[in-house]
Amino acid sequence: SVTPSKDESGIFENSNYRLILDKDTLGITIEDKKTGFLYETVQEDEKSNASWQGFLNSGVSVEFYSQKATMPERVDLIKGKVEKTFTFYESGFDVILTYPDYAFSMCLELRLHEDGVSASVKKDSIKEGDTFKLVAVYLYPMFGSTYAGEKSGYMLVPEGAGALIDLKDNHGKFKTPYTKKVYGMNVGIDKFTQNSFRLPAVVEPEQITVPVFGMVYTGEQQGFLGIIEEGDYNAEILAYPNGVMTDYNWVTAKFHYREVYTMQTAASSGVPAYEKNPYLRDISIRYRLLSGEQANYTGLAKTYQQYLIEQGDLVKQEDRYQMKIDFFGADTKKWLIFNKLVPMTTVEQMSRIINDLYDNGVTKLLPVYTGWQAKGISLNYGSGNFKLESKLGSRKELFTLVKELEEKNIRLTLLQDFLLANPARYYNTAKDTVKGINQMLVEKPTGGQVYESMYYLTPTRAYELADSFAGQYRDSPLHSIALSSISNTVFSYYSSGDIYSREYTANVYEAVMEQLGEFELSLDHPNQYLYKYTKKYFNMPLSTSNYSYLSKEIPFLPMVLKGYIPYWAEYGNFQANEREFFLRMLEYGAYPSYLLTSESPNKLRSTNSNYIYTSEYEVLKSELIREYEELGKVFTLLEGAGIKAHTYLKDKVVSVQYDNGVGILINYSDFDYQWGNVTVAAGSYQVIP
């Protein structure tokens, strides 16, 4: 409401919910009027230390840096001296929070909606002094929190495709929380780590690509989905299972305004420092509340799906079963003084393989050509040269193949990376390559032996390259491209005296997508803000990072996307447990992918592509045909359908129900499973038409 209300009781109501405000703590209690269930947002805990007691019992907490200290001080509404000035409305309230000891103030806006509640802080309301600098803000971090094992249920974190953390009593066995940045690490601040062998250390094997979290209380059939509506580019998802610092289970978003980085004092050393200027922007969380049959992780996914549809970020795309084959073109290896090209799959060889597969019944194909560029995949990065490598074939041969495949209803896609840059080339480091906010050039370790690291191009330079690419291929027979790196790498950076935010980077990426709008765009594991440009989703994760407190892996992302954006799994020829991976594709509804070469992968041993150890077509041919046929019998029944429900029948047995009536039972266990009159053999599946 725009007009202030005369009612200052702190009680708000609509047809679904009743909200009661505690003016001292800003805690709110929300009653579901249909079920009587209460959602609490603050907790009193005498067992914790004073700092955690204040945090648990405050609706809002703020962190500050003081002077040169890089350890933040957290200030809550209980221990801190905070003045509150309220303005009440029919559907909620605004409250100006003033922290006299910190010369700081901001305005919290809270509104009750028919589907839940939202809390936000506008950037224009934030005022800070000279001594204390704003670090981060928490908005209702204890929303829906529970004590130890008092309620059955789970927390949802968008880890990989999705994961759950059980609410059971952990008896203090977990010591560290789940903390991960939305949209992955920020290479402009976060350092890549390497082990003693100078190989990249895996610090974030599965990143968060959607800004959501949630909790479900299975006994009460209630739950909520938290959606970060604003401020997502600098947000972090936190999940604390009971036993980590307190006896409570809670999951929330932390909004960062300043971050600590390493300020270089010498070539190989530095000291921690915090950003001088804050990244002020609006922040907002919307809690959508669920009850009854919707109060489960399927309901959370469907709620988010509906939200994305409402926002215009999720649009139905053509969905048909296809086996994706990535044909690897060429890379370079060390050869005396100069590097030598290693051709692996020419245009002619790719044509021969596709036709051979087609003649063997593999007619539903999605061929993707990678490493097709001049000088091969590694050396071409950042060059702006979008010509076909001459040793792979001619432009005429490529376009002829594109036309021939179109006649078979097969569309060839070129894979392009506009973001990575090979360090062997010369760049204008003032504007073309990314420097971290410490003004040092960002290097991404590759683990390769020819080029040990790569640079990143600035978003504006990536846009220029995309514009050049579009100009060269706009009037060609080629209509489809796939993009990597730019789809899931978002960062802040320094350039010409200014710091550019992650949001700025993401906005330029969207401009890149608009520039390439005449092409069919496939994106590699894209962040959510790029969904509206995504025709096809490549490399859907089918696993998580396997943190000890993750109790179950679930297809949250597939349940959001299925029926709207078709998606493909990671390469099947690099899986340690091929049968389990096959079953996981069926469970998640992910179409199959393979990386193929005409030549033996032994030729790549001295290249940056030496991770390719099994790819030769003649070796994999029979497996491809078998898998294509077996998966096709299931996936052709599901084209265009969405996932209606996903359920664990027991620990290693799942049921997936689609909205067109088809069901799949998948048994990962070592024992047969009986479901009514249907027997699902160990390590197998059954389709229920």
Side-chain angles (χ1 to χ4, degrees), residues 539-553:
N539 289 316
M540 169 66 72
L542 304 187
S543 60
T544 66
S545 304
N546 293 316
Y547 300 127
S548 59
Y549 39 68
L550 299 181
S551 53
K552 281 186 173 63
E553 297 177 336

Side-chain angles (χ1 to χ4, degrees), residues 64 76 82 104 142 170 198 235 311 335 345 428 565 571 604:
F64 298 102
D76 56 67
V82 183
F104 176 80
M142 302 304 291
N170 297 310
R198 288 185 55 77
Q311 299 299 311
W335 185 257
T345 314
N428 183 339
I565 300 176
Y571 296 137
L604 293 170

Side-chain angles (χ1 to χ4, degrees), residues 120-221:
S120 60
V121 174
K122 296 291 191 294
K123 65 179 180 181
D124 294 341
S125 76
I126 298 174
K127 313 295 179 187
E128 64 177 7
D130 297 327
T131 302
F132 294 93
K133 302 300 182 181
L134 177 64
V135 178
V137 172
Y138 301 83
L139 301 179
Y140 292 96
M142 302 304 291
F143 190 102
S145 55
T146 65
Y147 180 80
E150 69 175 357
K151 283 185 171 65
S152 59
Y154 45 79
M155 295 182 281
L156 164 74
V157 291
E159 162 80 19
L164 306 179
I165 301 175
D166 209 300
L167 298 183
K168 66 183 179 182
D169 192 340
N170 297 310
H171 303 289
K173 69 178 180 179
F174 298 131
K175 304 302 179 186
T176 57
Y178 178 94
T179 63
K180 191 166 285 192
K181 288 182 177 178
V182 175
Y183 307 139
M185 68 180 293
N186 181 354
V187 300
I189 292 177
D190 305 321
K191 278 201 166 192
F192 290 99
T193 57
Q194 294 179 302
N195 61 27
S196 58
F197 300 101
R198 288 185 55 77
L199 295 177
V202 179
V203 294
E204 193 175 41
E206 292 296 346
Q207 68 183 45
I208 290 176
T209 59
V210 288
V212 298
F213 56 90
M215 189 177 290
V216 169
Y217 320 100
T218 52
E220 292 82 0
Q221 287 191 294

Side-chain angles (χ1 to χ4, degrees), residues 305-319:
Q305 180 187 74
Q306 185 59 39
Y307 175 83
L308 293 176
I309 294 170
E310 293 168 1
Q311 299 299 311
D313 290 333
L314 198 58
V315 180
K316 273 188 175 291
Q317 308 295 343
E318 181 187 29
D319 179 19

Side-chain angles (χ1 to χ4, degrees), residues 318-500:
E318 181 187 29
D319 179 19
R320 58 191 179 102
Y321 169 59
Q322 294 172 302
M323 174 174 276
K324 182 169 78 78
I325 304 292
D326 285 18
F327 292 95
F328 188 87
D331 205 347
T332 50
K333 69 177 181 180
K334 289 183 178 179
W335 185 257
L336 300 178
I337 299 176
F338 302 101
N339 292 330
K340 182 179 180 180
L341 190 81
V342 182
M344 295 298 293
T345 314
T346 66
V347 173
E348 189 279 328
Q349 289 170 333
M350 177 168 59
S351 175
R352 177 182 57 80
I353 293 172
I354 293 173
N355 286 323
D356 188 53
L357 285 170
Y358 195 89
D359 292 341
N360 281 276
V362 184
T363 58
K364 298 179 179 180
L365 275 173
L366 175 56
V368 179
Y369 205 11
T370 179
W372 53 273
Q373 301 91 336
K375 306 297 184 182
I377 188 168
S378 297
L379 191 53
N380 184 269
Y381 286 140
S383 68
N385 186 345
F386 304 119
K387 294 181 179 179
L388 176 70
E389 166 55 45
S390 60
K391 291 185 179 180
L392 297 178
S394 68
R395 184 181 176 97
K396 181 179 179 181
E397 284 180 287
L398 179 65
F399 290 164
T400 298
L401 177 58
V402 170
K403 293 175 183 177
E404 290 175 351
L405 293 178
E406 290 279 359
E407 294 176 359
K408 296 179 178 180
N409 200 26
I410 297 174
R411 175 164 285 188
L412 178 66
T413 298
L414 294 187
L415 178 64
Q416 177 62 42
D417 194 317
F418 293 118
L419 198 58
L420 291 183
N422 190 297
R425 298 185 175 279
Y426 292 102
Y427 303 95
N428 183 339
T429 57
K431 66 174 185 177
D432 288 345
T433 50
V434 170
K435 293 179 181 178
I437 62 174
N438 61 358
Q439 302 182 34
M440 301 295 291
L441 200 62
V442 174
E443 295 186 46
K444 177 185 179 181
T446 65
Q449 50 187 307
V450 183
Y451 310 105
E452 294 184 352
S453 64
M454 293 289 170
Y455 298 152
Y456 288 103
L457 296 176
T458 60
T460 50
R461 180 57 181 157
Y463 178 88
E464 291 172 358
L465 294 185
D467 184 54
S468 175
F469 177 93
Q472 293 183 43
Y473 287 90
R474 179 172 288 116
D475 298 324
S476 77
L478 184 81
H479 302 295
S480 179
I481 62 171
L483 302 180
S484 58
S485 293
I486 202 171
S487 55
N488 52 39
T489 308
V490 61
F491 46 77
S492 53
Y493 66 101
Y494 170 90
S495 181
S496 302
D498 294 317
I499 299 293
Y500 293 86

